[in-house]
Amino acid sequence: MSTTTNAPTTSVSVSGLQPPALDELDPEERLSRAEIETLQLERLQQTVAHAYEHVPLYTRKFDEAGVHPRDIRSLADVARLPFTTKADLRETYPFGMFAVPMSEVARIHASSGTTGRPTVVGYTKGDLERWASLVARSLRASGIRAGMKVHNAYGYGLFTGGLGAHAGIEALGATVIPMSGGQTARQVQLIMDFEPDAILCTPSYLLTIADAMAEQGIDPRSTSLKVAVLGAEPWTNEMRHELEQRLGLDALDIYGLSEVMGPGVGNECLETKDGPHLWEDHFLPEIIDGDTGAVLADGEMGELVFTSLTKEAFPVIRYRTRDLTRLLPGTARPGMRRMEKITGRNDDMIILRGVNLFPTQIEELVLGIEQLTPHFVLELTKEGRMDALTVRIERHPDLSVETCEAAAVVLAQRIKVHVGSTVVVQLEEPGALPRSEGKYKRVYDLRNG
Ligand code: DLL
């Protein structure tokens, strides 16, 4: 796999926003590494005991693995605990993993999931408060402050994006504009009329909004927006650059998943923009080898695993996210580790004639060629017994067809060199491909039927 994916960028604020001063941070953000680890161990022991005592699935799995909560004497002992997977959540559908009586569950969310039953998660009032404070921390790290207006275009409903971000904006003391996803023309109108300082949505949807502005004759750089806090799908530093240039704002990465909490498990800091810092006072991250389950050292690429440290209704023990990244030392928050921007999910990995390939690798190469647009999808087909990959990409509306065709040839060459796969690059007319309304579907597998 290419190792150029998601190399950190050194950054300066595009919009002139200031990062928070030291005295604006939560006390936990100022802890040293050693202090964080002490706090983590105390909270880990509490969480493991809570899960073992109140969730039958954990009782059974710990007993089967021959491990008891009192065996957890150091942070490294977490490796003695069994993993939790999405299959465990499906098996206990809908509420079997809840560790408190339903009368104490203040809210439920669910992830749609592409196949099978959705996964259902629950929160106590305390969980909701902690979640809101972590989203507030994330937004503050992005440069957002009390008194600013925030346009929230994450979808409201069972998805954790909308309501999770909403509560965090309020907790920060900013003004929330609860727009939700979709209705792009209306999004543009309200951005122009309400003049928000910040926008929260998926990176692919921000691209859709920028295009809609341009179609209406509005220069995307002329709006009031200074910062975008983008997540819920993988995106590269090249996409950051594209969005920052197109919209004249700072683009920050917010990470999270419903099983672990929702948005705000980690967030980038404006002063460094070097991958999300994980809020380690509430979550213990590990990187494992996805095949063997062995714990890998910091700096090594593998599957991200989380143990929650403060959750009451839905504690998770060594939850396998299927997200691929590596852990790095903290920079702007030295006590907390960072992760590299996510390369992709295990499930999104395309195996093309023996070569592993992630859509982010293609995104990186596409955006490295100025004459190409960021609008592309990947189509997998079968040619005889061989798999074939077609990159369908919209041509640039302002450039000649010949120029775009030449750029398409360059893209195919770069994919061959950097990824090692031979692909077909097919130019499409401007507007021919579907536009994002939230999480973008980048890969179409047409091999079976
Ligand atoms: O997507 C939570 C969220 C909402 C995060 C809004 C950020 C902003 P799920 O629907 O459960 O939750 O999907 C979680 O989305 O395991 C990753 O694969 C992917 N993902 C989330 N944030 C990022 C990110 C929300 N910043 C799944 N970069 C995760 C890359 C991300 N992938």
Side-chain angles (χ1 to χ4, degrees), residues 111 154 159-161 230-235 253-259 262-263 321 323 342 345 439:
S111 77
Y154 285 119
F159 174 52
T160 52
L230 310 172
E233 64 185 6
W235 58 299
D253 193 353
I254 184 165
Y255 173 79
L257 63 166
S258 46
E259 294 85 350
T321 65
D323 291 327
I342 301 271
R345 294 173 63 76
K439 290 186 193 253

Side-chain angles (χ1 to χ4, degrees), residues 280-390:
E280 284 206 67
D281 45 338
H282 295 272
F283 310 100
L284 179 65
E286 298 171 84
I287 295 289
I288 63 159
D289 179 317
D291 297 327
T292 66
V295 178
L296 300 180
D298 285 6
E300 288 189 54
M301 177 70 91
E303 180 180 343
L304 184 59
V305 168
F306 282 107
T307 300
S308 68
L309 299 176
T310 52
K311 284 175 74 187
E312 294 169 340
F314 198 86
V316 283
I317 307 295
R318 304 195 85 200
Y319 183 72
R320 292 186 61 158
T321 65
R322 309 186 68 78
D323 291 327
L324 300 175
T325 183
R326 66 180 103 224
L327 291 175
L328 300 165
T331 49
R333 305 289 183 275
M336 320 254 189
R337 278 172 293 178
R338 278 173 304 136
M339 64 177 192
E340 195 171 66
K341 277 173 82 46
I342 301 271
T343 300
R345 294 173 63 76
N346 258 342
D347 328 80
D348 295 341
M349 189 175 79
I350 298 167
I351 304 176
L352 190 66
R353 300 188 290 269
V355 176
N356 296 349
L357 163 74
F358 286 95
T360 49
Q361 290 174 286
I362 307 290
E363 178 178 296
E364 196 176 50
L365 295 172
V366 163
L367 292 175
I369 302 172
E370 238 177 76
Q371 296 80 2
L372 293 176
T373 66
H375 300 297
F376 72 95
V377 297
L378 305 178
E379 264 181 19
L380 272 166
T381 49
K382 252 199 160 33
E383 279 172 11
R385 283 168 48 213
M386 297 286 265
D387 289 337
L389 181 70
T390 305

Side-chain angles (χ1 to χ4, degrees), residues 76-95:
D77 285 334
V78 75
R80 302 176 64 174
L81 298 166
F83 292 116
T84 308
T85 63
K86 213 171 181 94
D88 293 317
L89 271 51
R90 294 224 166 94
E91 187 188 310
T92 53
Y93 176 87
F95 306 136

